[in-house]
Coordinates of all heavy atoms in Angstrom, one line a residue:
A1229 N 5.6 16.4 21.8 CA 5.4 15.1 22.5 C 6.7 14.3 22.5 O 7.5 14.3 21.5 CB 4.4 14.2 21.7
H1230 N 7.0 13.7 23.6 CA 8.2 13.0 23.8 C 8.0 11.5 23.3 O 7.1 10.9 23.7 CB 8.6 12.9 25.3 CG 9.8 12.1 25.6 ND1 11.0 12.5 25.2 CD2 9.9 10.9 26.2 CE1 11.9 11.5 25.6 NE2 11.2 10.6 26.2
V1231 N 8.9 11.1 22.4 CA 8.8 9.8 21.8 C 10.0 9.0 22.3 O 11.2 9.3 22.1 CB 8.8 9.8 20.3 CG1 8.8 8.4 19.7 CG2 7.6 10.5 19.8
D1232 N 9.7 7.9 23.1 CA 10.8 7.1 23.6 C 11.2 6.0 22.6 O 12.3 5.6 22.5 CB 10.4 6.4 24.9 CG 10.3 7.4 26.1 OD1 11.2 8.3 26.1 OD2 9.4 7.2 26.9
F1233 N 10.2 5.5 21.9 CA 10.5 4.4 21.0 C 9.5 4.4 19.8 O 8.3 4.4 20.0 CB 10.3 3.0 21.8 CG 10.6 1.8 21.0 CD1 12.0 1.5 20.7 CD2 9.7 1.0 20.5 CE1 12.3 0.4 20.0 CE2 10.0 -0.1 19.8 CZ 11.3 -0.4 19.5
L1234 N 10.1 4.3 18.6 CA 9.3 4.2 17.4 C 10.1 3.4 16.5 O 11.2 3.7 16.2 CB 9.0 5.6 16.8 CG 8.3 5.6 15.4 CD1 6.9 5.0 15.5 CD2 8.2 7.0 14.9
W1235 N 9.5 2.3 16.0 CA 10.2 1.4 15.1 C 9.2 0.9 14.0 O 8.0 0.6 14.3 CB 10.6 0.2 15.9 CG 11.4 -0.8 15.1 CD1 12.7 -0.7 14.7 CD2 11.0 -2.1 14.6 NE1 13.1 -1.7 14.0 CE2 12.1 -2.6 13.9 CE3 9.8 -2.8 14.6 CZ2 12.0 -3.9 13.3 CZ3 9.7 -4.0 14.0 CH2 10.8 -4.5 13.3
E1236 N 9.6 0.9 12.8 CA 8.8 0.6 11.7 C 9.6 -0.3 10.7 O 10.7 0.0 10.4 CB 8.2 1.8 11.0 CG 7.2 1.5 10.0 CD 6.5 2.8 9.5 OE1 6.2 3.6 10.3 OE2 6.3 2.8 8.3
F1237 N 9.0 -1.3 10.2 CA 9.6 -2.2 9.2 C 8.6 -2.5 8.1 O 7.5 -2.8 8.4 CB 10.1 -3.5 9.9 CG 10.7 -4.4 9.0 CD1 12.0 -4.2 8.5 CD2 10.0 -5.6 8.7 CE1 12.6 -5.1 7.7 CE2 10.6 -6.5 7.8 CZ 11.9 -6.3 7.3
G1238 N 9.0 -2.4 6.9 CA 8.1 -2.6 5.8 C 8.8 -3.6 4.8 O 9.9 -3.6 4.6
V1239 N 7.9 -4.5 4.3 CA 8.4 -5.5 3.3 C 7.3 -5.5 2.2 O 6.1 -5.5 2.5 CB 8.4 -6.9 3.9 CG1 8.8 -7.9 2.9 CG2 9.4 -6.9 5.1
A1240 N 7.8 -5.4 1.0 CA 6.9 -5.4 -0.1 C 7.4 -6.4 -1.2 O 8.6 -6.5 -1.4 CB 6.7 -4.0 -0.7
S1241 N 6.5 -7.1 -1.7 CA 6.8 -8.0 -2.8 C 6.1 -7.5 -4.1 O 4.9 -7.2 -4.1 CB 6.3 -9.4 -2.5 OG 6.5 -10.3 -3.6
S1242 N 6.9 -7.4 -5.1 CA 6.3 -6.8 -6.3 C 6.4 -7.8 -7.5 O 7.5 -8.3 -7.8 CB 7.1 -5.6 -6.7 OG 6.6 -5.1 -7.9
F1243 N 5.3 -8.1 -8.1 CA 5.3 -8.9 -9.3 C 4.2 -8.3 -10.3 O 3.2 -8.9 -10.5 CB 5.1 -10.4 -9.1 CG 3.8 -10.8 -8.5 CD1 2.7 -11.1 -9.3 CD2 3.6 -10.7 -7.1 CE1 1.5 -11.5 -8.7 CE2 2.4 -11.1 -6.5 CZ 1.3 -11.4 -7.3
A1244 N 4.4 -7.2 -10.8 CA 3.5 -6.5 -11.7 C 3.4 -7.2 -13.0 O 4.0 -6.7 -14.0 CB 3.8 -5.0 -11.8
G1245 N 2.9 -8.4 -13.0 CA 2.8 -9.2 -14.3 C 1.6 -8.9 -15.1 O 1.1 -7.7 -15.2
A1246 N 1.0 -9.9 -15.6 CA -0.2 -9.7 -16.4 C -1.4 -9.1 -15.7 O -2.1 -8.3 -16.3 CB -0.6 -11.1 -17.0
L1247 N -1.5 -9.4 -14.4 CA -2.6 -8.8 -13.7 C -2.3 -7.4 -13.1 O -3.1 -6.7 -12.6 CB -3.1 -9.7 -12.5 CG -3.7 -11.1 -13.0 CD1 -4.0 -11.9 -11.8 CD2 -4.9 -10.8 -13.8
G1248 N -1.0 -7.1 -13.0 CA -0.6 -5.8 -12.5 C -0.8 -5.7 -11.0 O -1.3 -4.7 -10.5
L1249 N -0.5 -6.8 -10.2 CA -0.7 -6.8 -8.8 C 0.6 -6.6 -8.0 O 1.7 -7.1 -8.4 CB -1.3 -8.1 -8.3 CG -2.6 -8.5 -8.9 CD1 -3.0 -9.9 -8.4 CD2 -3.7 -7.5 -8.5
Q1250 N 0.6 -5.8 -7.0 CA 1.7 -5.6 -6.1 C 1.3 -5.7 -4.7 O 0.7 -4.8 -4.1 CB 2.3 -4.1 -6.3 CG 2.9 -3.9 -7.6 CD 3.4 -2.4 -7.7 OE1 2.8 -1.5 -7.2 NE2 4.5 -2.2 -8.4
P1251 N 1.5 -6.9 -4.1 CA 1.1 -7.1 -2.7 C 2.1 -6.5 -1.8 O 3.3 -6.3 -2.2 CB 1.1 -8.6 -2.5 CG 2.1 -9.1 -3.6 CD 2.0 -8.1 -4.7
G1252 N 1.7 -6.2 -0.5 CA 2.7 -5.6 0.4 C 2.3 -5.8 1.8 O 1.1 -6.2 2.1
Y1253 N 3.2 -5.7 2.8 CA 3.0 -5.9 4.2 C 3.8 -4.9 4.9 O 5.0 -4.6 4.5 CB 3.4 -7.3 4.6 CG 3.4 -7.5 6.1 CD1 2.2 -7.7 6.8 CD2 4.6 -7.5 6.8 CE1 2.2 -7.8 8.2 CE2 4.6 -7.6 8.2 CZ 3.4 -7.8 8.9 OH 3.4 -7.9 10.2
R1254 N 3.3 -4.4 6.0 CA 4.0 -3.4 6.9 C 3.7 -3.8 8.3 O 2.6 -4.1 8.7 CB 3.6 -2.0 6.6 CG 4.3 -1.0 7.5 CD 3.8 0.4 7.2 NE 2.5 0.6 7.7 CZ 2.2 1.2 8.9 NH1 3.2 1.7 9.6 NH2 1.0 1.4 9.3
F1255 N 4.8 -3.8 9.2 CA 4.7 -3.9 10.6 C 5.2 -2.6 11.2 O 6.3 -2.2 10.9 CB 5.5 -5.1 11.1 CG 5.5 -5.2 12.6 CD1 4.4 -5.7 13.3 CD2 6.6 -4.8 13.3 CE1 4.4 -5.8 14.7 CE2 6.7 -4.9 14.7 CZ 5.6 -5.4 15.4
A1256 N 4.5 -2.1 12.2 CA 4.9 -0.9 12.9 C 4.6 -1.1 14.4 O 3.6 -1.7 14.8 CB 4.2 0.3 12.4
I1257 N 5.5 -0.5 15.2 CA 5.2 -0.5 16.7 C 5.5 0.9 17.2 O 6.5 1.5 16.8 CB 6.1 -1.6 17.4 CG1 5.8 -1.7 18.8 CG2 7.6 -1.4 17.1 CD1 6.4 -2.9 19.5
L1258 N 4.7 1.3 18.1 CA 4.8 2.7 18.7 C 4.6 2.5 20.2 O 3.6 2.0 20.7 CB 3.8 3.6 18.1 CG 3.7 5.0 18.7 CD1 5.0 5.8 18.5 CD2 2.5 5.8 18.2
E1259 N 5.6 3.0 20.9 CA 5.5 3.1 22.4 C 5.9 4.6 22.7 O 7.1 4.9 22.9 CB 6.5 2.1 23.0 CG 6.1 1.8 24.5 CD 6.5 2.8 25.5 OE1 7.6 3.4 25.4 OE2 5.6 3.1 26.3
P1260 N 5.0 5.5 22.7 CA 5.3 6.9 22.7 C 5.9 7.5 24.1 O 6.6 8.5 24.1 CB 4.0 7.6 22.4 CG 2.9 6.6 22.6 CD 3.6 5.3 22.5
S1261 N 5.5 6.9 25.2 CA 5.9 7.5 26.5 C 6.0 6.5 27.6 O 5.2 5.6 27.7 CB 5.0 8.6 26.8 OG 5.3 9.2 28.1
D1262 N 7.0 6.7 28.5 CA 7.1 5.9 29.7 C 6.1 6.5 30.8 O 6.0 5.8 31.8 CB 8.5 6.0 30.2 CG 9.5 5.2 29.4 OD1 9.0 4.2 28.7 OD2 10.7 5.4 29.4
L1263 N 5.5 7.6 30.5 CA 4.6 8.2 31.5 C 3.3 7.5 31.6 O 2.5 7.6 32.5 CB 4.4 9.7 31.2 CG 5.7 10.5 31.2 CD1 5.4 12.0 30.7 CD2 6.3 10.5 32.6
F1264 N 2.9 6.8 30.5 CA 1.6 6.1 30.5 C 1.9 4.6 30.4 O 2.6 4.1 29.5 CB 0.8 6.5 29.2 CG 0.5 8.0 29.2 CD1 1.3 8.9 28.5 CD2 -0.5 8.5 30.0 CE1 1.0 10.2 28.4 CE2 -0.8 9.9 30.0 CZ 0.0 10.7 29.2
P1265 N 1.2 3.8 31.3 CA 1.5 2.4 31.4 C 0.9 1.6 30.2 O 1.4 0.5 30.0 CB 1.0 2.0 32.7 CG -0.1 3.0 33.0 CD 0.4 4.2 32.4
A1266 N -0.1 2.1 29.6 CA -0.8 1.3 28.5 C -0.8 2.1 27.2 O -1.9 2.5 26.8 CB -2.1 0.9 29.0
D1267 N 0.3 2.3 26.6 CA 0.3 3.1 25.3 C 1.0 2.4 24.1 O 1.1 3.0 23.1 CB 0.9 4.4 25.6 CG 2.3 4.4 26.0 OD1 2.8 3.3 26.2 OD2 2.9 5.5 26.1
L1268 N 1.3 1.1 24.3 CA 2.0 0.4 23.2 C 1.0 0.0 22.2 O -0.1 -0.6 22.5 CB 2.7 -0.9 23.8 CG 3.4 -1.7 22.8 CD1 4.7 -1.0 22.3 CD2 3.8 -3.1 23.4
V1269 N 1.3 0.2 20.9 CA 0.5 -0.1 19.8 C 1.3 -0.8 18.7 O 2.4 -0.3 18.4 CB -0.2 1.2 19.2 CG1 -1.0 0.8 18.0 CG2 -1.0 1.9 20.2
Q1270 N 0.8 -1.9 18.2 CA 1.5 -2.6 17.1 C 0.5 -2.7 15.9 O -0.7 -2.9 16.1 CB 1.8 -4.0 17.5 CG 2.8 -4.2 18.6 CD 3.0 -5.6 19.0 OE1 2.6 -6.5 18.3 NE2 3.7 -5.8 20.1
E1271 N 1.0 -2.4 14.7 CA 0.1 -2.5 13.5 C 0.6 -3.4 12.5 O 1.8 -3.4 12.2 CB 0.0 -1.1 12.9 CG -0.7 0.0 13.7 CD -0.8 1.3 12.9 OE1 -0.1 1.5 11.9 OE2 -1.6 2.1 13.4
H1272 N -0.3 -4.3 12.0 CA 0.0 -5.2 10.9 C -0.8 -4.7 9.7 O -2.1 -4.7 9.8 CB -0.3 -6.6 11.2 CG 0.5 -7.2 12.4 ND1 1.7 -7.8 12.2 CD2 0.2 -7.2 13.7 CE1 2.2 -8.1 13.4 NE2 1.3 -7.8 14.3
T1273 N -0.2 -4.3 8.6 CA -1.0 -3.8 7.5 C -0.6 -4.7 6.3 O 0.5 -4.9 6.0 CB -0.6 -2.3 7.1 OG1 -0.9 -1.5 8.3 CG2 -1.4 -1.8 6.0
A1274 N -1.7 -5.2 5.6 CA -1.5 -5.9 4.4 C -2.3 -5.2 3.3 O -3.4 -4.7 3.6 CB -2.0 -7.4 4.6
G1275 N -1.8 -5.2 2.1 CA -2.5 -4.5 1.1 C -2.1 -5.0 -0.3 O -1.1 -5.8 -0.4
V1276 N -2.7 -4.4 -1.3 CA -2.4 -4.7 -2.7 C -2.6 -3.5 -3.5 O -3.5 -2.7 -3.3 CB -3.2 -5.9 -3.2 CG1 -4.7 -5.6 -3.3 CG2 -2.6 -6.4 -4.5
N1277 N -1.7 -3.3 -4.4 CA -1.8 -2.3 -5.5 C -2.3 -3.0 -6.7 O -1.7 -4.0 -7.1 CB -0.5 -1.5 -5.8 CG -0.1 -0.6 -4.7 OD1 -0.9 -0.1 -4.0 ND2 1.2 -0.5 -4.6
I1278 N -3.3 -2.5 -7.4 CA -3.8 -3.0 -8.6 C -3.5 -2.0 -9.7 O -4.1 -0.9 -9.6 CB -5.3 -3.4 -8.5 CG1 -5.5 -4.3 -7.4 CG2 -5.8 -4.0 -9.8 CD1 -7.0 -4.5 -7.0
L1279 N -2.7 -2.3 -10.7 CA -2.2 -1.4 -11.7 C -2.9 -1.6 -13.0 O -3.2 -2.7 -13.4 CB -0.7 -1.5 -11.9 CG 0.2 -1.5 -10.7 CD1 1.6 -1.8 -11.0 CD2 0.1 -0.1 -10.0
Q1280 N -3.3 -0.5 -13.6 CA -3.9 -0.5 -14.9 C -3.0 0.4 -15.8 O -3.2 1.6 -15.8 CB -5.3 0.0 -14.9 CG -6.0 0.0 -16.3 CD -6.1 -1.4 -16.9 OE1 -6.3 -2.4 -16.2 NE2 -5.9 -1.5 -18.2
R1281 N -2.0 -0.2 -16.4 CA -1.0 0.6 -17.1 C -1.5 1.4 -18.3 O -1.0 2.5 -18.6 CB 0.2 -0.3 -17.5 CG 0.9 -0.8 -16.3 CD 2.2 -1.5 -16.7 NE 2.7 -2.1 -15.5 CZ 3.3 -3.2 -15.4 NH1 3.4 -4.0 -16.5 NH2 3.8 -3.6 -14.3
D1282 N -2.4 0.9 -19.0 CA -2.9 1.5 -20.2 C -3.6 2.9 -19.9 O -3.6 3.8 -20.7 CB -3.9 0.6 -21.0 CG -3.2 -0.6 -21.5 OD1 -2.0 -0.6 -21.6 OD2 -3.9 -1.6 -21.8
T1283 N -4.1 3.0 -18.7 CA -4.8 4.2 -18.3 C -4.1 5.0 -17.2 O -4.6 6.0 -16.7 CB -6.3 3.8 -17.8 OG1 -6.2 3.0 -16.7 CG2 -7.1 3.2 -18.9
N1284 N -2.9 4.5 -16.8 CA -2.2 5.1 -15.7 C -3.0 5.2 -14.4 O -2.8 6.1 -13.6 CB -1.7 6.6 -16.1 CG -0.7 6.5 -17.1 OD1 0.2 5.6 -17.2 ND2 -0.7 7.5 -18.0
L1285 N -3.8 4.2 -14.1 CA -4.6 4.1 -12.9 C -3.9 3.1 -11.9 O -3.4 2.1 -12.3 CB -6.0 3.7 -13.2 CG -6.9 4.7 -13.8 CD1 -8.3 4.0 -14.1 CD2 -7.2 5.8 -12.8
R1286 N -4.0 3.4 -10.6 CA -3.6 2.5 -9.6 C -4.6 2.5 -8.5 O -5.0 3.6 -8.0 CB -2.2 2.9 -9.0 CG -1.8 2.0 -7.9 CD -0.4 2.3 -7.4 NE -0.4 3.5 -6.6 CZ 0.6 3.8 -5.7 NH1 1.6 3.0 -5.7 NH2 0.5 4.9 -5.0
L1287 N -5.1 1.4 -8.1 CA -6.0 1.2 -7.0 C -5.2 0.6 -5.8 O -4.6 -0.5 -6.0 CB -7.2 0.3 -7.3 CG -8.2 0.0 -6.1 CD1 -8.8 1.3 -5.6 CD2 -9.2 -1.0 -6.6
Q1288 N -5.2 1.2 -4.7 CA -4.5 0.7 -3.5 C -5.5 0.4 -2.4 O -6.3 1.2 -2.0 CB -3.5 1.7 -3.0 CG -2.7 1.2 -1.9 CD -1.6 2.3 -1.4 OE1 -1.8 3.5 -1.6 NE2 -0.5 1.8 -0.9
V1289 N -5.5 -0.9 -2.0 CA -6.4 -1.4 -0.9 C -5.6 -1.9 0.2 O -4.7 -2.8 0.0 CB -7.4 -2.4 -1.5 CG1 -8.3 -2.9 -0.4 CG2 -8.1 -1.9 -2.7
N1290 N -5.8 -1.4 1.4 CA -5.1 -1.9 2.6 C -6.0 -2.2 3.7 O -7.1 -1.6 3.9 CB -4.1 -0.8 3.1 CG -3.1 -0.4 2.1 OD1 -2.5 -1.3 1.6 ND2 -2.8 0.9 1.9
Y1291 N -5.6 -3.2 4.6 CA -6.3 -3.4 5.8 C -5.3 -3.5 6.9 O -4.2 -4.1 6.8 CB -7.0 -4.8 5.8 CG -7.7 -5.1 7.1 CD1 -8.9 -4.4 7.4 CD2 -7.2 -5.9 8.0 CE1 -9.5 -4.7 8.7 CE2 -7.8 -6.2 9.3 CZ -9.0 -5.5 9.5 OH -9.6 -5.8 10.8
T1292 N -5.5 -2.7 8.0 CA -4.6 -2.6 9.2 C -5.3 -3.3 10.4 O -6.4 -2.9 10.8 CB -4.2 -1.2 9.5 OG1 -3.6 -0.6 8.3 CG2 -3.3 -1.1 10.6
H1293 N -4.6 -4.2 11.0 CA -5.0 -4.9 12.2 C -4.1 -4.3 13.3 O -2.9 -4.4 13.2 CB -4.9 -6.4 12.2 CG -5.1 -7.1 13.5 ND1 -6.4 -7.0 14.1 CD2 -4.3 -7.7 14.3 CE1 -6.3 -7.7 15.2 NE2 -5.1 -8.1 15.4
V1294 N -4.8 -3.7 14.3 CA -4.0 -3.0 15.4 C -4.1 -3.9 16.7 O -5.2 -4.3 17.1 CB -4.6 -1.6 15.7 CG1 -3.9 -0.9 16.8 CG2 -4.6 -0.8 14.4
V1295 N -2.9 -4.2 17.2 CA -2.8 -4.9 18.5 C -2.4 -3.9 19.5 O -1.3 -3.3 19.4 CB -1.8 -6.1 18.4 CG1 -1.7 -6.8 19.7 CG2 -2.1 -7.0 17.2
E1296 N -3.2 -3.8 20.6 CA -3.0 -2.7 21.6 C -2.6 -3.4 22.9 O -3.1 -4.5 23.2 CB -4.2 -1.8 21.7 CG -4.4 -1.1 20.4 CD -5.6 -0.1 20.5 OE1 -5.3 0.9 21.0 OE2 -6.6 -0.4 19.9
Q1297 N -1.8 -2.7 23.7 CA -1.4 -3.2 25.0 C -2.7 -3.3 25.9 O -3.6 -2.6 25.8 CB -0.5 -2.2 25.6 CG 0.2 -2.6 26.9 CD 1.3 -1.7 27.3 OE1 1.7 -0.8 26.6 NE2 1.9 -1.9 28.4
V1298 N -2.6 -4.3 26.8 CA -3.7 -4.5 27.8 C -3.9 -3.2 28.5 O -3.0 -2.6 29.0 CB -3.4 -5.7 28.7 CG1 -4.4 -5.8 29.8 CG2 -3.2 -7.0 27.9
G1299 N -5.2 -2.8 28.6 CA -5.5 -1.6 29.3 C -6.0 -0.5 28.3 O -6.6 0.4 28.7
R1300 N -5.7 -0.7 27.0 CA -6.3 0.2 26.0 C -7.6 -0.4 25.5 O -7.6 -1.6 25.2 CB -5.3 0.4 24.9 CG -4.1 1.2 25.3 CD -3.1 1.3 24.1 NE -3.7 2.0 23.0 CZ -3.5 3.3 22.6 NH1 -2.7 4.0 23.3 NH2 -4.1 3.8 21.6
T1301 N -8.6 0.4 25.3 CA -9.9 -0.2 24.9 C -10.3 0.4 23.6 O -11.5 0.2 23.2 CB -10.9 0.2 26.0 OG1 -11.0 1.6 26.2 CG2 -10.6 -0.5 27.3
L1302 N -9.4 1.0 22.8 CA -9.8 1.5 21.5 C -9.8 0.4 20.5 O -9.0 -0.5 20.5 CB -8.8 2.6 21.1 CG -8.7 3.8 22.0 CD1 -7.6 4.7 21.5 CD2 -10.0 4.5 22.0
S1303 N -10.7 0.5 19.5 CA -10.7 -0.4 18.4 C -10.3 0.4 17.1 O -11.0 1.2 16.6 CB -12.1 -0.9 18.1 OG -12.2 -1.7 17.0
N1304 N -9.0 0.1 16.7 CA -8.4 0.9 15.6 C -8.2 0.1 14.3 O -7.5 0.6 13.5 CB -7.1 1.5 16.1 CG -7.3 2.6 17.1 OD1 -8.2 3.4 16.9 ND2 -6.5 2.6 18.1
D1305 N -8.8 -1.1 14.2 CA -8.7 -1.8 12.9 C -9.3 -1.0 11.8 O -10.3 -0.3 12.1 CB -9.3 -3.2 13.0 CG -8.5 -4.1 13.8 OD1 -7.5 -3.7 14.4 OD2 -8.9 -5.3 13.9
R1306 N -8.7 -1.0 10.6 CA -9.3 -0.2 9.6 C -9.0 -0.7 8.2 O -8.0 -1.3 8.0 CB -8.8 1.3 9.7 CG -7.3 1.4 9.6 CD -6.9 2.8 10.1 NE -5.5 2.9 10.2 CZ -4.8 2.6 11.3 NH1 -5.4 2.1 12.4 NH2 -3.5 2.7 11.3
G1307 N -9.9 -0.4 7.3 CA -9.6 -0.6 5.9 C -9.5 0.7 5.1 O -10.2 1.6 5.5
E1308 N -8.7 0.7 4.1 CA -8.5 2.0 3.4 C -8.4 1.6 1.9 O -7.9 0.6 1.5 CB -7.2 2.7 3.8 CG -7.2 3.1 5.2 CD -5.8 3.6 5.7 OE1 -4.8 2.9 5.4 OE2 -5.8 4.7 6.2
A1309 N -8.9 2.5 1.1 CA -8.7 2.4 -0.4 C -8.4 3.8 -1.0 O -8.9 4.8 -0.5 CB -10.0 1.8 -1.0
A1310 N -7.6 3.8 -2.0 CA -7.2 5.0 -2.7 C -7.1 4.7 -4.2 O -6.6 3.7 -4.6 CB -5.9 5.6 -2.1
L1311 N -7.5 5.7 -5.0 CA -7.4 5.6 -6.4 C -6.5 6.7 -6.9 O -6.7 7.9 -6.5 CB -8.8 5.7 -7.1 CG -8.8 5.6 -8.6 CD1 -8.4 4.2 -9.0 CD2 -10.2 5.9 -9.1
E1312 N -5.5 6.3 -7.7 CA -4.5 7.3 -8.2 C -4.5 7.3 -9.7 O -4.5 6.3 -10.3 CB -3.1 6.9 -7.6 CG -2.0 7.8 -8.1 CD -0.7 7.3 -7.6 OE1 -0.4 7.5 -6.4 OE2 0.1 6.7 -8.4
F1313 N -4.4 8.5 -10.2 CA -4.3 8.7 -11.7 C -3.1 9.5 -11.9 O -2.9 10.6 -11.4 CB -5.5 9.3 -12.3 CG -5.4 9.6 -13.8 CD1 -5.5 8.6 -14.7 CD2 -5.1 10.9 -14.2 CE1 -5.4 8.8 -16.0 CE2 -5.0 11.1 -15.6 CZ -5.1 10.1 -16.5
R1314 N -2.2 9.1 -12.8 CA -1.0 9.8 -13.2 C -1.2 10.5 -14.5 O -1.6 9.9 -15.5 CB 0.3 8.9 -13.2 CG 0.7 8.6 -11.8 CD 2.1 8.0 -12.0 NE 2.0 6.6 -11.5 CZ 2.9 5.7 -11.6 NH1 4.0 6.0 -12.2 NH2 2.7 4.5 -11.2
F1315 N -0.8 11.8 -14.6 CA -1.0 12.5 -15.8 C 0.2 12.3 -16.7 O 1.3 12.1 -16.3 CB -1.1 14.0 -15.5 CG -2.3 14.4 -14.7 CD1 -2.3 14.5 -13.4 CD2 -3.5 14.5 -15.4 CE1 -3.5 14.8 -12.7 CE2 -4.7 14.8 -14.7 CZ -4.7 14.9 -13.3

């Protein structure tokens, strides 16, 4: 696939203090081809990592809001969760 433009920028703020919280934000934009007039997609993702250091557990919860170019009719907003254990 031909990619004309792909740009991604991520910012994360970390303060793993007493609660073990790490908030984060990501902005991404994708415009894959000049051949299709309505293919621009922007994503805003906000999330938080919740750390449990005594047990080496991390819960990651994210929500992504997708802004699509006029002419696209897909609904791509989504929520995600992942649980990680380190040995």
